[in-house]
């Protein structure tokens, strides 16, 4: 990963002045993406904003490699925290929140978001390769029915913020090689495997 380029993007974030309707919250999601990238995992972040008070209440970022958890995409991380706190009232209370994700949600995350009951999700940067929002019409009918009337779309944020978000993610895309080429030192042999 190009740490010098990452540092340059971080300085741009520090100097960024919100101008568009969603910039304030989009900026917070992109800061979470920066945390993820600096921790050596995919540069994606997400926040949950309480609609009534307009405050970021929950934060999350990708932890696939930093915590060795294949399920800890940014959206999953923030929803896990929310659901841990609200427990059985989660589906009821999530209606009071809006999610901002630094990158368009992948199929796994979009389905988790739908299942959570969250009504509105804005992404900062498009993901034409792995994102599911632009392919929403390809969802199985049951998922489309479950998500009827909900909003999944690009945030009304500045082009600069969207570009920074995309660049942070692109700097971490080479981590895909970790998935394709496991470290032989961490491979479990048949003799070591205990169910």
């Amino acid at each position: 990963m190009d740490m010098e380029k990452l540092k340059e993007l971080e300085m741009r974030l520090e100097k960024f002045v919100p101008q568009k309707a969603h910039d304030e919250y989009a900026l917070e999601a992109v800061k979470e993406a920066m945390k993820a990238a600096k921790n050596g995992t995919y540069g994606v972040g997400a926040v949950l904003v309480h609609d009534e008070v307009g405050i970021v209440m929950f934060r999350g970022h990708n932890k696939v490699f930093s915590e060795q958890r294949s399920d800890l995409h940014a959206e999953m991380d923030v929803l896990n925290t929310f659901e841990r706190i609200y427990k059985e009232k989660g589906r009821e209370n999530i209606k009071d929140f809006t999610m901002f994700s630094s990158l368009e949600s992948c199929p796994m995350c979009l389905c988790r978001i739908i299942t959570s009951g969250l009504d509105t999700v804005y992404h900062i940067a498009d993901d034409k390769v792995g994102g599911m929002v632009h392919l929403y019409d390809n969802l199985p009918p049951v998922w489309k029915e479950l998500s009827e009337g909900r909003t999944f779309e690009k945030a009304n944020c500045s082009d600069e913020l969207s570009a920074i978000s995309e660049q942070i993610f692109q700097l971490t895309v080479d981590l895909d090689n970790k998935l394709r080429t496991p470290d032989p030192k961490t491979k479990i042999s048949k003799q070591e495997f205990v169910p």
Side-chain angles (χ1 to χ4, degrees):
M1 185 175 352
D2 186 342
M3 295 306 284
E4 196 169 303
K5 178 67 175 170
L6 199 61
K7 186 67 178 162
E8 175 194 317
L9 293 170
E10 187 173 34
M11 289 190 321
R12 285 175 60 192
L13 282 178
E14 289 171 9
K15 294 176 184 175
F16 180 80
V17 178
Q19 298 170 7
K20 290 199 170 183
H22 292 154
D23 276 354
E24 178 184 349
Y25 307 122
L27 177 61
E28 295 305 313
V30 178
K31 285 179 180 178
E32 289 297 317
M34 180 61 73
K35 283 183 194 174
K38 288 170 75 174
N39 285 331
T41 191
Y42 295 114
V44 183
V47 296
L48 279 173
V49 177
H50 192 281
D51 295 333
E52 190 176 317
V53 294
I55 295 174
V56 172
M57 301 289 285
F58 298 94
R59 297 171 177 276
H61 55 270
N62 188 290
K63 296 177 180 171
V64 168
F65 295 117
S66 60
E67 292 190 16
Q68 302 304 313
R69 288 277 308 270
S70 60
D71 64 327
L72 283 184
H73 291 200
E75 299 94 327
M76 299 285 204
D77 188 35
V78 76
L79 285 172
N80 286 350
T81 303
F82 176 88
E83 290 172 351
R84 201 170 27 255
I85 290 170
Y86 281 98
K87 297 184 170 75
E88 66 277 348
K89 298 262 187 192
R91 284 189 58 77
E92 180 183 324
N93 289 316
I94 198 107
K95 303 284 186 203
D96 297 331
F97 290 84
T98 295
M99 180 184 285
F100 288 84
S101 179
S102 66
L103 189 69
E104 179 181 348
S105 297
C106 73
M108 178 176 75
C109 290
L110 186 59
C111 289
R112 167 79 186 275
I113 289 165
I114 292 167
T115 304
S116 76
L118 187 62
D119 284 333
T120 307
V121 180
Y122 295 111
H123 61 272
I124 315 316
D126 293 324
D127 184 356
K128 294 297 182 192
V129 175
M132 192 66 208
V133 174
H134 72 279
L135 297 172
Y136 179 85
D137 289 337
N138 295 337
L139 280 172
V142 67
W143 290 107
K144 289 199 306 195
E145 186 178 317
L146 283 171
S147 62
E148 198 170 291
R150 301 196 203 172
T151 301
F152 307 104
E153 60 187 39
K154 182 122 186 222
N156 179 8
C157 65
S158 69
D159 292 341
E160 180 186 7
L161 201 50
S162 184
I164 292 171
S165 182
E166 185 174 352
Q167 289 171 44
I168 291 170
F169 178 70
Q170 288 302 321
L171 286 173
T172 62
V173 168
D174 67 331
L175 294 169
D176 284 339
N177 292 329
K178 282 187 179 181
L179 294 175
R180 290 188 189 94
T181 315
D183 184 350
K185 293 180 277 186
T186 61
K187 190 171 182 170
I188 298 173
S189 70
K190 287 181 183 177
Q191 292 82 17
E192 296 174 303
F193 181 72
V194 179

